[in-house]
Amino acid sequence: MYIVMVAPECAPAAHAGGLGDVVFGLSRELEVRGHAVEIILPRYDSLHMDQIWGWTLDYADLWVPWYNGAIHCSVWFGFLHGRKCFFIEPHSRDNFFNRGVIYGCPDDTMRFAFFSRAALEFMLKANKRPDIIHCHDWPTGLVPVLLFEIYKHGMPHQRVCFTIHNFKHQGIDGERVLWATGLGRPWHYVHDDRLRDNFNPAAINFTKGGIVYSNFVTTVSRGHAWEATHTDQGYGLGHTLHRHAHKIGGVRNGVDYDMWNPETDPMIPHRYNLESLERKYWNKDVLRDRLWLRKDFKPLIAYIGRLDSQKGVHLVRHALFYSLARGAQFVLLGPTSDPAIGQEFSRLKHELNDHPDCHLELRFDHELAHLVYAGADMVVLPSNFEPCGLVQMIALRYGTIPIVRAVGGLSETVFDRDFSTRPPEQRNGYVFHQSDRTGIESAMRRALGLWYDYPQEFRYLMLNGMRYDYSWNHPGQDYVNIYDHIRHK
Ligand code: GLC
């Protein structure tokens, strides 16, 4: 099959979160299976050009219709660690992608509406006729709308799969988007059956458009498809999901095991596997040296990932203090985008700066992340909601015990050592339910107790986790099945 991914991110060149990892990992898996995959991205000024090889101009004069005129674009090509990527660069005073960031501008909806139109115009003009167009999250929600409303004559056979990574961000704007993209006709589109936001009758909702117009919609874990349809985790789109239930499914993300493999990882000093687990502790010492933590007989607990309200930051903070109170060490690694959360954690970092058992690194450091996965004994993930979550799956691969809240993808991948109904050899971590201190403490207490009192049992739990296969193998096949299913309809 020939698949074109249209996405706002692809790691490691344009990377803000898990979506970027998924676009890269899934594309690689599909190629390994013999499919042809191309990825269309904006040409951000913040692209990590050192990750891209063979940068060439692919299409010089692409004119993308916009309002009553058109914007002149260049399309660049480059290999991103082997993936074939096309980067759209508009030349206009809007400066859509020269903002130093991927998201977070007041005109984000217009930026990505333009990108969606440009991606289709590029496919049309460059004679790309993929079997499947796979779009990701609200920034590309208008792609299926534009395809079936405007491009269907030139591209009548293309089918669209739309993956929703996060319902919290949906892309809400007004009629102007319709006029800008050439859809026009607000009386047609600002309608409950199409793009009208379910709560603001004057607004259009990109994600809703993506759901209504795509041939298939996926969430990034099976449980989250249910949660989004039936609970407040759909952020107002539950009703829409319900109406389109026949084409909604959940596919759990995979982890790119070429990048995340303690046996071959070039970013950790001591490589290890199931048979040489003791070498993990050598990494722990390297990590402690690097972060100026003392080398005592203590477990090391980590939080890795964005510090966003989604992630249950109040409990991350509590986990830190609880760890210190219980004689454990704590390492935090992650960027903050929310100013209030940023301030809170900067203050905390300052306060704990000289603490011998604790380190806060408030930014994203890819290389350090590898060392933290390899060196930590446990990671905590107290998310309020988690469509899938990659951290717990990477941690398992590195023999690092996940302590997670039972939501979304977390409860589908982590099975409690004491309370899971699975057989003992399939249990791989600790799970708690309530989003409060008592909840997380109950799980952390059990994990720390096992580490101190039953080290051999703790080791078994680590090995159980390392044996899991959370690669792209199964989810890759699931996506191929979905593509096949919609292709033949
Ligand atoms: C979003 C979700 C996260 C998921 C990731 C990749 O960041 O919050 O749960 O793992 O997308 O799909």
Side-chain angles (χ1 to χ4, degrees):
M1 259 182 286
Y2 172 22
I3 300 131
V4 169
M5 300 270 170
V6 184
E9 300 175 39
C10 185
H15 195 191
L19 185 154
D21 298 290
V22 168
V23 171
F24 182 90
L26 174 60
S27 301
R28 182 197 331 243
E29 175 67 27
L30 293 167
E31 282 188 63
V32 168
R33 288 165 176 270
H35 302 286
V37 183
E38 294 174 345
I39 306 170
I40 302 181
L41 298 155
R43 190 230 199 277
Y44 302 107
D45 58 351
S46 57
L47 277 183
H48 295 292
M49 296 299 286
D50 54 335
Q51 306 293 324
I52 304 172
W53 283 262
W55 183 261
T56 42
L57 185 63
D58 183 78
Y59 199 101
D61 295 307
L62 182 73
W63 288 91
V64 179
W66 193 242
Y67 285 105
N68 294 323
I71 292 179
H72 180 211
C73 297
S74 309
V75 185
W76 300 86
F77 173 83
F79 286 103
L80 174 57
H81 289 258
R83 310 285 77 69
K84 297 190 184 81
C85 297
F86 295 88
F87 301 89
I88 295 181
E89 177 181 24
H91 307 286
S92 88
R93 267 179 304 162
D94 302 296
N95 240 346
F96 284 133
F97 305 122
N98 299 324
R99 310 289 182 85
V101 291
I102 295 182
Y103 315 109
C105 308
D107 59 343
D108 274 0
T109 38
M110 294 307 259
R111 296 168 66 222
F112 289 106
F114 176 79
F115 170 62
S116 300
R117 175 89 212 222
L120 283 162
E121 189 66 23
F122 172 54
M123 281 187 253
L124 181 75
K125 293 286 162 60
N127 281 321
K128 295 186 180 298
R129 298 293 183 271
D131 300 294
I132 300 292
I133 300 173
H134 192 157
C135 304
H136 298 267
D137 260 0
W138 75 265
T140 58
L142 293 184
V143 169
V145 183
L146 292 161
L147 174 70
F148 294 118
E149 295 282 359
I150 294 183
Y151 287 86
K152 62 173 178 239
H153 299 300
M155 304 173 69
H157 304 298
Q158 281 51 53
R159 295 287 176 269
V160 181
C161 175
F162 180 51
T163 294
I164 303 173
H165 297 257
N166 202 323
F167 280 92
K168 196 172 164 192
H169 309 284
Q170 300 183 355
I172 315 275
D173 205 326
E175 264 182 37
R176 63 172 181 164
V177 174
L178 301 174
W179 298 117
T181 53
L183 287 165
R185 295 193 292 156
W187 54 91
H188 179 67
Y189 293 108
V190 191
H191 184 285
D192 188 43
D193 290 344
R194 297 187 188 86
L195 305 190
R196 187 168 81 196
D197 185 69
N198 293 345
F199 289 88
N200 179 348
I204 65 161
N205 181 318
F206 290 27
T207 305
K208 179 170 171 182
I211 297 171
V212 172
Y213 278 83
S214 293
N215 302 98
F216 205 88
V217 180
T218 67
T219 62
V220 288
S221 66
R222 210 148 17 100
H224 195 59
W226 189 92
E227 287 171 341
T229 310
H230 299 285
T231 75
D232 56 0
Q233 292 188 33
Y235 282 88
L237 286 175
H239 177 64
T240 308
L241 291 171
H242 190 69
R243 274 177 66 180
H244 294 271
H246 63 281
K247 58 170 189 181
I248 314 281
V251 179
R252 180 190 42 74
N253 289 332
V255 165
D256 190 337
Y257 279 179
D258 280 330
M259 182 178 303
W260 299 107
N261 180 357
E263 229 176 327
T264 54
D265 191 337
M267 289 190 230
I268 62 175
H270 304 289
R271 303 196 180 103
Y272 59 97
N273 59 21
L274 287 161
E275 274 83 48
S276 56
L277 204 50
E278 63 292 344
R279 294 170 65 94
K280 179 168 167 64
Y281 300 105
W282 304 358
N283 289 306
K284 184 171 175 178
D285 277 343
V286 175
L287 176 65
R288 286 163 151 179
D289 278 340
R290 169 127 173 221
L291 303 179
W292 298 89
L293 299 178
R294 71 174 136 190
K295 287 184 192 152
D296 261 357
F297 178 71
K298 285 167 181 284
L300 196 156
I301 303 180
Y303 173 83
I304 306 169
R306 288 179 289 130
L307 285 163
D308 178 288
S309 61
Q310 168 191 346
K311 303 288 178 181
V313 278
H314 61 299
L315 292 183
V316 173
R317 185 193 164 100
H318 186 65
L320 186 159
F321 287 111
Y322 185 74
S323 303
L324 297 180
R326 294 286 313 250
Q329 298 184 312
F330 198 91
V331 169
L332 185 151
L333 172 62
T336 54
S337 48
D338 178 313
I341 297 173
Q343 258 177 22
E344 181 191 343
F345 279 83
S346 300
R347 222 178 303 123
L348 207 58
K349 181 178 166 69
H350 192 68
E351 198 180 299
L352 296 166
N353 208 19
D354 300 321
H355 202 296
D357 288 326
C358 168
H359 182 92
L360 282 75
E361 193 72 40
L362 300 180
R363 62 193 178 97
F364 196 69
D365 179 332
H366 191 65
E367 198 189 329
L368 182 58
H370 283 251
L371 185 60
V372 177
Y373 281 115
D377 296 292
M378 312 164 201
V379 291
V380 287
L381 279 148
S383 303
N384 291 329
F385 70 94
E386 197 62 80
C388 179
L390 301 173
V391 171
Q392 80 281 13
M393 296 192 282
I394 300 173
L396 287 167
R397 181 83 170 145
Y398 281 72
T400 307
I401 301 296
I403 301 171
V404 308
R405 182 153 176 261
V407 280
L410 298 175
S411 55
E412 238 160 81
T413 48
V414 180
F415 307 102
D416 192 275
R417 177 181 180 274
D418 303 317
F419 301 124
S420 168
T421 51
R422 297 203 160 206
E425 69 278 8
Q426 289 181 20
R427 303 181 188 179
N428 58 11
Y430 289 91
V431 180
F432 62 98
H433 292 265
Q434 301 301 40
S435 181
D436 57 20
R437 292 177 173 202
T438 321
I440 194 168
E441 279 182 22
S442 75
M444 288 182 74
R445 188 181 308 116
R446 290 184 291 126
L448 290 166
L450 196 75
W451 191 91
Y452 280 115
D453 301 332
Y454 302 94
Q456 193 53 39
E457 292 285 321
F458 194 86
R459 220 181 139 90
Y460 287 143
L461 199 60
M462 293 162 75
L463 295 172
N464 286 352
M466 290 174 82
R467 276 193 216 100
Y468 264 87
D469 176 8
Y470 287 138
S471 69
W472 273 105
N473 187 21
H474 294 292
Q477 184 61 50
D478 290 345
Y479 275 112
V480 171
N481 293 345
I482 290 171
Y483 298 162
D484 261 328
H485 167 70
I486 56 181
R487 200 157 63 115
H488 293 122
K489 276 219 306 204

